[in-house]
Structures are given as structure tokens and as C-alpha cells.
Amino acid sequence: MNADQIGELMEGLGKAATAAAQVLALASTDQKNSALRAAAAAVRARRAAILAANERDMSAARAARLSGPRLERLRLDERRIEAIAESIDAVIELRDPIGSASAEWERPNGLRIQRVVVPLGVIGIIYESRPNVTADAGALCLKSGNAAILRGGSESQHSSRALHECLDEGLRAAGLPPECIQLVPVTDRAAVGYMLAGMSEYVDVIVPRGGKALVERVQKEARVPVIGHLEGNCHVYIDRDADVRMARTIALNAKMRRTGICGAAETVLIDRACVATHLAPVVRDLLDAGCEVRGDATVLEVDPRVRPASEDDWYTEYLDAIIAARVVDGVDAAIAHIARYGSAHTESIVTENRATARQRHRAAQRVDPVRGRRRVRHGCGDRHLDRPLSCPGAGRGGAAHQLQVRRARRGAGAPLRACGGTPREVSLSGGGGEPQRPCRCACPCACAAGASASWAAGAAQRSQFTQPESPPA
């Protein structure tokens, strides 16, 4: 397609999405849930067609010599298709945020103010090789009353189309416009450029979901607000008071369960005080599992298979079976390392000492009052909120279903949830009194619209993962 044809196509998608968003904003919870229920049923009923479409993508990807981690992100099987359907089921169980008052207060002159949750409008989501994002993003946008324009990666085009057909079927079954969730039907990169720079009249926010190059392009070219993230250089710190069995289990799981996602551990830090008991078992477990370990001088002494780490390794998000390992002088040194090299994504501390865990939570905020709202786990791996399934209590993190989206280092990160895809609208009612001066911290107005920091603190349990406790104050 030439540039004019691309522009005409994208303009049509934008106009249709804007019209659909007006209908969706007024849809009832029952109608939205009905659409999601029918979509989940369609995913299960069409699993053979989805697998066939995915095999077309996999064959093309293998022919193009895509890397192992990218192939892993692209691959679907029976279990993953069922997980996609269960994810849609989980969104049905979420509370509908639209129309709820998140806060209300009264001014001295009798003026009553409410902060009411409303949809953003049209959300453009650009993603790469994980076809499940098609279903996740569409379901979340639908539940939060937002129309969605989805642009998946060219490598997952057939899988994404098969999943989008399920969402389309659900919308039609519920009597909602199919344009509520649209998939850009071409793989031409010019369509992405037009979506970023030429659709500000229609698209209210862009969410990139993918690697650093994609996110940087979106942030550079977009002419609409972007909810973006960069890399996930995640750390596991093993404290002197950590149970060695638990440390081994968490370090191995945090790195090797799925190496190609942004929540995978990329560096393990070990307290010098427990080197004699903890370092060798943790490192050898990783090596025996097929993970390349790049370590400092102390780690190199543990096993001849360890390779020397360079300065660049501490900054690197590998997205592969590679991990950097370093010995540090306690929790303060671990925090200093993470503050210097980390990407403000997710960090984990393994310890039986709750005072140390609390110290790390406080230090994360002290080191950087804004980025300090990174996710810090105690006694659990970096991955517990990678793709939680439902709320409350289900999934690894027991948190609301979400698209994991981190903002850049300049600001606090947050998942895009059903409630996170909605800003707050201020509604006022009063008896006609004179306006007051703007409030100065007298009312609960100092919150970022549509954003929420996600925390999980796991209780220290030996050799198992448990439901998280409440986040620290």
C-alpha cells in the first residue's frame, strides 16, 4: 500500500473507533461482560484455528531465523490458549470502574466535589510478538469502556487476527459495535508511523508493549500522550538471613521460568555475609538449568563455567538464559547497585528478616522518591505480577488483571488495568455559593489520574510461594 492508502485506512479506523467509543462509554456492565463471555467462549471453540494460525506465524519466524526468546514469546499451545480464555474470564470478574466515585469531599461553602471514573476514549496499543496481548488489551479496554486500535507485530499477524476474530464475535453477540476493538489489518510499518503522528484527532493515548527499540520509536514519534516503558532490568537480592532453599527456588524460577519477558530476573545480588552457604548452590542451580552466569571475581571462583562480567552486564536486560551475579556488602550495597544500574521495574529481596525487608521498601522510596514506587517483593520472585489472572486472590500476584506497562525512569511505573485505563472526572454540585481559593492539600486531589502503583510483599515461606501480604505503608 502507498502512503495515501495507508492514511485513508488509518483515518477510517480512527473515525470508527471514535464513534464506537461513544457507544461503549454508555454500555452497561452486563453488556460488556456478555461480550467478554462470548469472546472467551469463542477462543475455546476456535482453538484449532488459532493453533493453525500460530503455526503459520511460527513457520515464518523460524524461516526468518528469529531468536529463541522471540520464538518462545510467539508460540501458542493448548495450555496458553486456555490461559488466554481464562484471562478474559478474569476480566469479567473485575469491578466495572466506570461511573464510580473514587473520592468526594465538601468545601466550606457547601460545594460538593466528586472524582468520577470515566473512559479515556480511544487507546492505541502497539505490540510485538506476543499474540496473547491482542486478547488481553482488547478485554481490558472493553471492560474500562475504551475503544481500542490494536497493532500487533508482523511476526504474530495470523495469530493476532485469529484472536481478534474471537473478540469481534463477542462484541457482535452482545450488540456492541465491532469497531470497539479494531486490529490494524496491514503489517506495513508506515501504519505505525501514521498511528503515532497522524491520528491525534482520534487516539487519546498510545500504549507500546514490546522491546526497547519499539518503545523508543513510539516515544519519539508520537503526537499523542504515551504510557510507555523501557527495559526490565530486574534484580533478586539474597540477604544474609535468607533461607538457602528458598533462595535457590526463587532465583531459579525468577530467571528460568520464562527468560524472554520483561519481568525475568537479569541480575542476582548475594550478601557477602552468606557467600559460604548460599552463593555456590544458587549459581550451580542456574548453570545446571542451562543459564549462562556472568559473575564478579568472587562468583568466578565458584564454578569454572562462570564467565567474567563486564560493566555493561550490570545494565543489560538479556531476555535470554543469561544472568549477571555479584556479591555485595549487605542490603544497602544492593540498593546502591540497583539505583545505579536498574530500570525501576521490579526487584525482589529474599530474607527471613522482616526488618531488613521493610528497610529495603523504605530505601527504595528514599533513593528516588518518584521511581521509588518500583515494585519491591519480599520473599517472592520478580515475576509474581507478570500476568496475574484475576482479582482478588488469583494469579501469582493476586492482583487485578493487567497489561504490565512501565513508565520511563523519570516517573513511577504502573500496570495498565481496567481501572488504570480510566481517568478521573471531577463533578461539582453546590448551592450557588461564592467560589473558594484552590485547595492546598485540604482534599484528596493529589493523585495521578488513571495511574496506580502496584505492590506485592510476600511472606517469607520456605520453599514455596504464597499469596502476598498488604503493601507497606
Side-chain angles (χ1 to χ4, degrees):
M1 300 180 72
N2 60 38
D4 289 340
Q5 291 171 322
I6 290 288
E8 184 178 349
L9 169 67
M10 299 305 293
E11 286 282 323
L13 293 178
K15 291 176 181 178
T18 301
Q22 296 174 5
V23 177
L24 186 56
L26 301 177
S28 68
T29 301
D30 287 344
Q31 192 175 20
K32 290 186 287 187
N33 285 344
S34 177
L36 291 168
R37 197 171 293 110
V43 169
R44 293 184 171 101
R46 298 184 181 202
R47 68 178 65 216
I50 296 169
L51 286 172
N54 184 246
E55 182 53 37
R56 291 181 65 187
D57 290 331
M58 290 293 293
S59 296
R62 286 189 288 264
R65 300 182 181 275
L66 263 63
S67 66
R70 291 183 70 184
L71 288 173
E72 170 62 19
R73 290 195 291 272
L74 176 60
R75 182 178 61 86
L76 292 177
D77 54 27
E78 292 276 353
R79 180 180 59 83
R80 290 186 179 182
I81 290 176
E82 178 58 28
I84 290 171
E86 289 176 355
S87 294
I88 299 174
D89 289 338
V91 176
I92 296 171
E93 300 302 319
L94 296 179
R95 179 183 61 85
D96 188 344
I98 301 304
S100 61
S102 61
E104 56 183 298
W105 60 97
E106 186 172 328
R107 301 292 297 144
N109 68 345
L111 185 69
R112 294 182 299 277
I113 306 172
Q114 284 188 323
R115 186 183 298 119
V116 180
V117 181
V118 297
L120 284 166
V122 177
I123 300 179
I125 301 179
I126 303 171
Y127 50 100
E128 292 181 329
S129 58
R130 290 174 67 173
N132 63 280
V133 176
T134 301
D136 289 348
L140 285 168
C141 288
L142 174 59
K143 187 62 179 270
S144 59
N146 294 292
I149 299 176
L150 310 177
R151 205 288 187 178
S154 58
E155 62 269 38
S156 62
Q157 58 177 307
H158 299 103
S159 306
S160 292
R161 286 173 188 166
L163 288 168
H164 177 256
E165 288 172 2
C166 299
L167 298 172
D168 186 272
E169 181 177 323
L171 289 165
R172 293 177 188 276
L176 288 169
E179 294 80 11
C180 290
I181 305 172
Q182 298 179 91
L183 183 70
V184 177
V186 296
T187 59
D188 195 316
R189 289 174 61 86
V192 175
Y194 197 94
M195 190 171 174
L196 296 175
M199 297 186 68
S200 58
E201 181 180 352
Y202 311 111
V203 176
D204 295 285
V205 65
I206 292 283
V207 179
R209 182 74 162 80
K212 185 176 181 180
L214 169 67
V215 178
E216 286 182 336
R217 181 191 177 190
V218 170
Q219 292 176 331
K220 180 180 179 180
E221 297 182 16
R223 296 296 181 265
V224 296
V226 174
I227 302 175
H229 72 106
L230 290 176
E231 56 267 278
N233 187 11
C234 305
H235 298 74
V236 174
Y237 166 62
I238 298 173
D239 184 59
R240 66 190 65 190
D241 294 318
D243 173 76
V244 67
R245 291 183 301 163
M246 184 169 119
R248 293 171 67 178
T249 300
I250 288 176
L252 186 62
N253 177 273
K255 177 71 243 186
M256 296 301 291
R257 187 182 63 81
R258 289 192 70 183
T259 61
I261 62 174
C262 60
E266 305 292 10
T267 299
V268 58
L269 304 172
I270 298 152
D271 192 339
R272 194 176 303 278
C274 67
V275 161
T277 54
H278 290 55
L279 178 60
V282 168
V283 170
R284 287 174 182 152
D285 283 349
L286 289 163
L287 290 166
D288 291 344
C291 182
E292 179 183 322
V293 178
R294 301 179 183 179
D296 65 5
T298 305
V299 179
L300 285 168
E301 296 173 359
V302 169
D303 192 289
R305 294 173 290 176
V306 177
R307 299 185 179 186
S310 68
E311 180 71 7
D312 288 342
D313 283 308
W314 311 126
Y315 290 103
T316 301
E317 180 190 28
Y318 299 108
L319 297 175
D320 203 349
I322 306 171
I323 194 167
R326 181 178 235 175
V327 174
V328 295
D329 294 315
V331 65
D332 287 334
I335 291 168
H337 175 102
I338 293 166
R340 178 175 178 181
Y341 299 105
S343 60
H345 192 290
T346 306
E347 325 298 346
S348 175
I349 179 171
V350 186
T351 185
E352 299 279 347
N353 189 324
R354 292 183 180 275
T356 302
R358 286 194 294 269
Q359 174 189 352
R360 176 145 181 200
H361 278 288
R362 290 194 298 270
Q365 293 175 312
R366 186 178 68 248
V367 168
D368 190 330
V370 178
R371 286 192 297 113
R373 297 189 75 183
R374 71 182 81 215
R375 288 182 283 275
V376 182
R377 284 90 165 88
H378 165 211
C380 57
D382 288 346
R383 315 279 281 287
H384 280 36
L385 288 182
D386 172 49
R387 281 191 71 231
L389 294 179
S390 64
C391 177
R396 288 180 294 280
H401 188 95
Q402 62 191 5
L403 273 176
Q404 202 75 355
V405 177
R406 295 294 303 176
R407 291 180 61 193
R409 290 178 63 98
R410 294 187 299 276
L416 177 65
R417 305 183 180 183
C419 58
T422 52
R424 273 51 169 175
E425 177 180 82
V426 178
S427 171
L428 296 87
S429 61
E434 291 294 320
Q436 302 285 320
R437 289 193 311 162
C439 57
R440 299 183 184 275
C441 301
C443 57
C445 59
C447 72
S452 61
S454 174
W455 289 86
Q461 299 288 334
R462 298 176 185 273
S463 304
Q464 63 180 348
F465 303 118
T466 62
Q467 284 299 111
E469 299 173 338
S470 298

